Amino acid sequence: MHLVVGLGNPGDEYQDNRHNLGFKVVDELRARARGPVSRAKFGAELCEVTLVGERVLLCKPMEFMNVSGQAVARVASFWKIPAADLIVVHDELDLPFGRLKLGAGGGHGGHNGVRSMLADLGSAEFARVRVGVGRPASGRDSADYLLSNFSRAEDKELPALVGLAADAIQAIVGKGLPAAMNQFNGKPQSNKDPGNRA
């Protein structure tokens, strides 16, 4: 079983923030799989689905971003899911809006959710789907930018970007990380593979 974690902050006031992009991708995967209503357990919203013929546990930590690793560690421990079968999707300042970067290992890159996961899981060997939101204009605080909503222009492109990230996760589950990296890394939304949907 794979554990797919989308990072974000709980609460209606945060739901459309750039920082909640991970939640949106998990919601898209649940919708594609026609998954059941998520249930609350271990400080997370959980939903078990089938993606590309594989069992997948979708997880949205319901504790705030900077402690999200605690809930993920509890979930992974209970279901005995190793870091190698964990996929984390999150927003990424260092990528232009609309681009993805897939990989595994490495540091947190300043992302507090990833920082918490590294601390609480005790491993960096999980797969990551970094979804570009771009950097704020010069002089604007990065935290303020991430906790603000997408621009009107970005909103128009957001469904395609969320879909692209969901495609990438399905590719990791179905084909493995190296193949998914070759398919998705750095490519714009227009190059997505529509045949990869469930």
Side-chain angles (χ1 to χ4, degrees):
M1 176 188 281
H2 283 82
L3 173 60
V4 175
V5 176
L7 295 182
N9 285 308
D12 291 345
E13 67 269 38
Y14 299 106
Q15 66 179 0
D16 293 321
N17 290 177
R18 291 178 174 88
H19 221 19
N20 274 39
L21 195 48
F23 277 11
K24 290 185 181 298
V25 177
V26 165
D27 288 342
E28 168 67 13
L29 289 167
R30 183 170 72 87
R32 288 184 183 187
R34 296 179 175 85
V37 174
S38 298
R39 66 187 190 276
K41 192 167 187 174
F42 300 122
E45 285 188 359
L46 303 172
C47 178
E48 189 173 327
V49 299
T50 300
L51 293 173
V52 292
E54 300 289 337
R55 287 175 65 212
V56 173
L57 184 62
L58 302 176
C59 173
K60 290 163 54 177
M62 287 289 113
E63 294 160 350
F64 283 93
M65 182 73 82
N66 62 352
V67 292
S68 51
Q70 296 175 11
V72 176
R74 290 191 289 265
V75 171
S77 175
F78 182 83
W79 269 273
K80 296 180 171 57
I81 300 172
D85 291 330
L86 172 60
I87 304 166
V88 181
V89 56
H90 64 85
D91 56 288
E92 179 56 64
L93 283 169
D94 289 329
L95 289 174
F97 179 85
R99 296 295 181 100
L100 302 183
K101 186 171 183 182
L102 282 57
H108 54 73
H111 194 288
N112 286 333
V114 178
R115 187 197 310 267
S116 175
M117 292 196 55
L118 292 171
D120 289 294
L121 290 171
S123 172
E125 298 312 307
F126 48 87
R128 305 177 199 188
V129 177
R130 299 161 57 197
V131 187
V133 296
R135 286 206 163 267
S138 179
R140 186 175 181 188
D141 179 68
S142 293
D144 174 66
Y145 173 75
L146 289 172
L147 292 175
S148 65
N149 293 351
F150 290 96
S151 70
R152 190 171 298 176
E154 289 169 338
D155 260 336
K156 292 179 181 177
E157 302 296 327
L158 194 56
L161 178 57
V162 169
L164 184 70
D167 289 345
I169 290 170
Q170 289 184 204
I172 295 172
V173 172
K175 305 175 185 177
L177 181 59
M181 289 170 65
N182 287 337
Q183 183 177 349
F184 289 93
N185 272 358
K187 294 180 180 176
Q189 295 174 31
S190 59
N191 285 355
K192 74 184 220 175
D193 174 10
N196 197 47
R197 291 174 181 258

